[in-house]
Amino acid sequence: MYEYLTGLVTVVEPRYIVVEVNGIGYRLLVANPYRYHIDKRQKVTVYVYQAVRDDDISLFGFSDEDEKQLFMQLINVSGIGPKSALAILANPDHEGLINAIANNDVKYLTRFPGIGKKTASQICLDLKDKIERLAPSEFNLLKPLLPENENVNDALQDALEALTALGYKEREVKRIKKELEKEGETSTEEYLRHALRLLN
């Protein structure tokens, strides 16, 4: 059983990536392949789940442990297989997904491919009591990145929103926010440059 792979991304396709580890290329089905970039100098760590069936062995890849754990909870729901769970995770709004489960929002869940009302209700029933233990930090992400008050730094807020648009998770953005605030008032571009250095 694989836990994670650390290597070079050598292929990025619409449904999968290939990570080369010690000369061996591992094909990983991932929710959002284009968050990865082919780079023969920069190693990445991808968390892995191995699905074994009579006629197939597949590897599913995840950007972090939280995403993998959310996937693991989803495939434990009756009617949700690995590919269906991956399709749900392809929506970048994981916070919205967690919030929907916590609030029994069946309508939100039926927007995902292959998820009808019965399966959506089952997801809420099976996972509602587990979701906060699964990723309690995710609930903090439902709060605004910055307090709503008249002293908000517009340039900083624009930079934080740009990072989210680039695909960085709100948890990562919140982590570096205090460091960026130490710079004092500056331009959005400078905040963004500094943020990317911290994140990379």
Side-chain angles (χ1 to χ4, degrees):
M1 180 65 70
Y2 299 97
E3 183 62 30
Y4 60 84
L5 298 172
T6 299
L8 302 174
V9 176
T10 57
V11 176
V12 176
E13 291 290 336
R15 293 184 60 248
Y16 68 88
I17 63 172
V18 174
V19 177
E20 182 179 315
V21 182
N22 296 327
I24 301 174
Y26 294 87
R27 176 174 170 167
L28 304 174
L29 300 173
V30 295
N32 295 300
Y34 296 112
R35 77 169 55 164
Y36 300 94
H37 304 283
I38 296 174
D39 188 338
K40 296 186 178 180
R41 297 170 298 175
Q42 182 67 44
K43 288 186 176 182
V44 300
T45 295
V46 184
Y47 291 83
V48 176
Y49 171 79
Q50 183 178 18
V52 180
R53 297 188 307 181
D54 291 340
D55 59 347
D56 181 58
I57 298 177
S58 297
L59 295 177
F60 293 81
F62 311 95
S63 60
D64 56 35
E65 289 183 280
D66 284 347
E67 187 179 45
K68 180 179 177 179
Q69 289 304 313
L70 185 53
F71 173 88
M72 297 294 289
Q73 292 292 345
L74 286 169
I75 63 174
N76 284 329
V77 176
S78 177
I80 301 290
K83 290 185 178 178
S84 294
L86 201 67
I88 292 173
L89 293 179
N91 183 335
D93 184 19
H94 292 176
E95 293 79 27
L97 170 63
I98 290 172
N99 200 33
I101 294 170
N103 292 290
N104 289 314
D105 189 349
V106 171
K107 184 177 180 180
Y108 180 96
L109 297 173
T110 56
R111 64 194 281 190
F112 298 110
I115 305 298
K117 288 185 178 180
K118 182 178 179 180
T119 302
S121 296
Q122 193 67 46
I123 291 173
C124 293
L125 180 66
D126 289 357
L127 299 186
K128 183 176 181 180
D129 293 336
K130 301 175 183 177
I131 205 72
E132 188 168 358
R133 293 197 300 273
L134 170 65
S137 62
E138 297 286 355
F139 285 92
N140 295 327
L141 303 182
L142 301 177
K143 300 176 182 178
L145 287 174
L146 291 168
E148 294 182 1
N149 59 53
E150 60 185 8
N151 295 320
V152 167
N153 182 330
D154 289 335
L156 176 56
Q157 184 159 2
D158 288 345
L160 295 177
E161 290 174 354
L163 290 170
T164 302
L166 288 170
Y168 289 98
K169 293 196 171 184
E170 289 190 354
R171 180 178 61 257
E172 295 174 302
V173 177
K174 285 175 69 73
R175 177 172 55 83
I176 65 165
K177 176 176 163 284
K178 288 185 178 180
E179 189 66 29
L180 294 175
E181 287 176 331
K182 293 178 183 178
E183 286 194 5
E185 293 280 342
T186 186
S187 67
T188 298
E189 292 75 14
E190 285 300 319
Y191 278 130
L192 196 53
R193 288 193 195 95
H194 189 193
L196 292 171
R197 286 197 298 271
L198 292 171
L199 289 166
N200 293 326

